[in-house]
Amino acid sequence: MKRIVYVSPSFLAMLLMAVAMLGCNGDNPAIVSPDVSITASSVGNIMTGEGGKTLYFYAGDVAGDGTCTGTCKDNWPIFYKETATLTLGTGLKTTDFAVITRADGSKQTTFKGWPLYYFKNDAKAGDVNGDKVGSVWMAAKTNYTVMLASKQLVGNDGKNYTFDTKEGTGNSLFLVDSVGRTLYAYAFDKNNVNKYTKADLSNDATWPIFITPTIGEVPSLLDKSDFKIITAVGKTQLTYKGWPLYYFGPDQSIRGKTLGVSVPRPGVWPVVNTTSPVAPN
């Protein structure tokens, strides 16, 4: 004959509590969040750091140096973790991260060469209050096709230029690719029509086409509908406001170089941004 054992509800509750406490001991450590993760937000999937706080890129750092200093640095605390101990969430690669030494001797972590920052006015995880601030701050994303740079334009002639291609000093805002290489328009192109590149690509080395299979992500300051992909001499070329986009070969893939703005004379190969006119038909 089977014996029926009665277990009181209070005893059962105590037993479950004891099991839960055992799960928290040293043999079963709690899960530790990665140093950097990809997190969904109101502006899309972004990179986040400690406590789920949003990480940012600064347009002024296009050359790969941490140029946010003084009061700027107080408002935008730097993110720093040594790559040897950096832990990453799903979808992130260690090879995209590095550490730079800033002019003041402090260290900062970079992603694809862009130094990473927090924004002091982000109170909690998920806040993206720093995105678009001053038109130079971008929530950090892994898949930007183009980004924004803020820098003094210096032509191949060694002269300083402003965004309107006149000689002068002062930072200009302009489009670059995801690793900071300057993008140009050709003044004689038509709306979504490449009039420069020859069919045999003999002049492509001087002004290489900016090729991308998809538009991907763009900074919030930019209107994604302004971008299109055209086929030019068999290549998929990105356009902005109808302007086909190019690199300048002699920039030699150096981040933030703008030598092309004076070639062959100012105005023929301008940089572009939100104030650029739509390309003519």
Side-chain angles (χ1 to χ4, degrees):
M1 182 177 179
K2 293 183 178 179
R3 296 179 62 188
I4 298 174
V5 179
Y6 173 77
V7 179
S8 71
S10 59
F11 177 77
L12 183 60
M14 291 176 62
L15 181 63
L16 291 173
M17 185 180 295
V19 171
M21 291 178 66
L22 285 172
C24 296
N25 65 17
D27 295 328
N28 296 280
I31 297 174
V32 178
S33 298
D35 294 320
V36 182
S37 303
I38 298 177
T39 307
S41 78
S42 60
V43 297
N45 291 335
I46 57 173
M47 287 192 288
T48 57
E50 185 177 355
K53 294 290 188 67
T54 302
L55 294 169
Y56 294 90
F57 300 132
Y58 175 45
D61 287 346
V62 60
D65 46 354
T67 59
C68 175
T69 60
T71 303
C72 176
K73 188 178 173 183
D74 294 336
N75 293 324
W76 300 88
I78 64 175
F79 173 80
Y80 166 60
K81 293 282 184 180
E82 279 295 338
T83 50
T85 58
L86 184 68
T87 58
L88 302 174
T90 303
L92 294 169
K93 300 184 298 182
T94 303
T95 51
D96 286 331
F97 293 84
V99 172
I100 60 169
T101 299
R102 295 160 52 92
D104 62 4
S106 63
K107 293 186 177 182
Q108 187 168 9
T109 300
T110 65
F111 177 81
K112 292 184 177 180
W114 292 92
L116 293 166
Y117 301 81
Y118 293 112
F119 183 43
K120 79 169 189 178
N121 290 343
D122 282 345
K124 61 184 186 301
D127 284 350
V128 285
N129 298 314
D131 193 44
K132 298 194 291 186
V133 168
S135 298
V136 291
W137 289 95
M138 299 160 277
K141 296 183 181 182
T142 61
N143 57 341
Y144 280 123
T145 297
V146 298
M147 296 176 68
L148 289 163
S150 178
K151 192 173 182 289
Q152 172 69 61
L153 302 177
V154 181
N156 195 52
D157 56 6
K159 296 179 180 179
N160 292 331
Y161 288 93
T162 56
F163 184 78
D164 57 4
T165 64
K166 296 178 181 178
E167 288 187 38
T169 57
N171 289 343
S172 293
L173 197 66
F174 56 96
L175 265 61
V176 294
D177 71 3
S178 63
V179 291
R181 294 175 296 184
T182 302
L183 298 172
Y184 300 84
Y186 179 50
F188 302 106
D189 276 346
K190 298 300 181 182
N191 196 288
N192 290 312
V193 179
N194 177 331
K195 304 287 286 185
Y196 173 79
T197 307
K198 295 180 179 179
D200 63 1
L201 297 175
S202 59
N203 59 352
D204 190 60
T206 305
W207 293 97
I209 288 173
F210 176 44
I211 301 171
T212 180
T214 59
I215 296 174
E217 288 286 338
V218 302
S220 301
L221 187 73
L222 302 173
D223 185 343
K224 193 170 183 178
S225 67
D226 285 333
F227 293 88
K228 288 182 173 54
I229 293 177
I230 62 170
T231 300
V233 292
K235 299 177 182 291
T236 52
Q237 184 172 17
L238 187 69
T239 71
Y240 176 65
K241 291 189 173 183
W243 294 105
L245 298 175
Y246 306 79
Y247 296 108
F248 182 45
D251 282 347
Q252 298 178 336
S253 297
I254 300 173
R255 302 174 65 103
K257 277 286 187 183
T258 60
L259 300 178
V261 295
S262 67
V263 177
R265 61 186 183 276
V268 175
W269 289 94
V271 292
V272 292
N273 72 11
T274 56
T275 65
S276 298
V278 173
N281 291 313

